[in-house]
Amino acid sequence: AQVAVILCVVAYVGFYQIGFGPITWLILSEVFPVNVRAAALSVGTLTNFGSNLLVTLLFEAERQSVGESILFAQFALVAAVALAFENALVPETRGLSLEEIEKKLGED
């Protein structure tokens, strides 16, 4: 059972880093207007790392409380919600300059 938990954690982290993980940094770097981008990136980065810290601190207590199956099901649910959010609300910005992205976001 312990090997399965370790493999699930490794798989989760690996797939997150090649999938949804970089999207956070892409959105943060593109979505804010130039005049507030630095401050917004700071708040976004603090929120991201704060959330990571919260998951790290609560992981073991929650694993003992609800078990591995429910714990990883929660991770899967969060990933599914994030994917739905990305597909529904995040516009494609490939090939656009920051100015074009700002204009496109201003139209929505």
Side-chain angles (χ1 to χ4, degrees):
Q2 288 180 335
V3 172
V5 170
I6 291 171
L7 290 175
C8 285
V9 170
V10 169
Y12 173 78
V13 170
F15 287 114
Y16 179 81
Q17 292 304 324
I18 62 171
F20 191 73
I23 292 172
T24 302
W25 304 111
L26 290 171
I27 291 172
L28 284 176
S29 67
E30 294 179 348
V31 75
F32 298 107
V34 174
N35 59 332
V36 297
R37 187 168 291 143
L41 279 168
S42 298
V43 172
T45 300
L46 181 63
T47 301
N48 188 11
F49 286 119
S51 299
N52 292 341
L53 178 63
L54 189 62
V55 168
T56 301
L57 293 175
L58 296 176
F59 181 88
E60 185 59 25
E62 189 168 1
R63 186 188 67 80
Q64 290 178 358
S65 174
V66 300
E68 287 92 6
S69 297
I70 293 175
L71 179 61
F72 286 105
Q74 289 174 346
F75 288 147
L77 179 63
V78 168
V81 169
L83 184 63
F85 170 83
E86 175 194 341
N87 286 332
L89 299 174
V90 177
E92 176 61 61
T93 59
R94 183 180 307 156
L96 299 176
S97 69
L98 290 175
E99 292 78 14
E100 291 169 327
I101 293 169
E102 190 171 333
K103 183 179 178 186
K104 182 176 183 175
L105 291 174
E107 294 171 354
D108 293 340

